[in-house]
Amino acid sequence: MNISERKDKNEKASIPENPLPLNIPETDIELISRSVHDAWQQERRRQGWIYGSITDRDQKTHESMIPYDNLNEEEKELDRQTVRRVISMLFSLGYKIEKL
């Protein structure tokens, strides 16, 4: 994917409430969502977090510290929505995404 430069570099950015319709296959959204979850887990592990049946900030345990494939559909959809919003934000800032 190639991202072109933003049109107006001084434009303020805000996360879209309702992401724009994306011309990106859902299979690609799913691959990116998996990567988002993996990156989140890596950062949490770096901070000392581990899997726990409940999220406990003091104990640094989180129930989502599991492989993406083992997440429930609701958790996966949160990652998908994050991906859609970020891509939508890039579009709204004037970026163009092209599959090579």
Side-chain angles (χ1 to χ4, degrees):
M1 287 186 203
N2 185 14
I3 301 175
S4 64
E5 282 194 40
R6 205 165 108 191
K7 289 179 184 172
D8 180 359
K9 294 181 182 181
N10 296 320
E11 184 179 331
K12 294 278 184 184
S14 63
I15 297 173
E17 287 288 325
N18 300 306
L20 300 170
L22 306 175
N23 193 17
I24 297 175
E26 282 300 311
T27 53
D28 290 347
I29 297 292
E30 193 69 13
L31 286 171
I32 299 166
S33 298
R34 181 182 307 277
S35 292
V36 164
H37 180 72
D38 290 348
W40 173 83
Q41 273 194 83
Q42 287 175 357
E43 179 60 21
R44 287 288 173 136
R45 277 193 203 103
R46 189 187 67 72
Q47 297 170 356
W49 287 71
I50 59 170
Y51 170 80
S53 58
I54 60 168
T55 296
D56 183 320
R57 288 177 174 264
D58 295 330
Q59 298 295 314
K60 289 191 171 185
T61 61
H62 201 291
E63 67 269 19
S64 295
M65 292 287 291
I66 57 177
Y68 183 82
D69 289 336
N70 295 355
L71 292 173
N72 64 40
E73 202 52 36
E74 184 178 315
E75 290 288 321
K76 287 180 182 178
E77 189 56 31
L78 289 173
D79 287 329
R80 292 178 195 125
Q81 285 301 318
T82 297
V83 169
R84 289 183 190 107
R85 283 180 175 221
V86 168
I87 293 170
S88 184
M89 166 73 88
L90 289 169
F91 285 158
S92 72
L93 291 172
Y95 286 88
K96 184 171 99 174
I97 299 174
E98 298 175 322
K99 188 162 187 163
L100 302 178

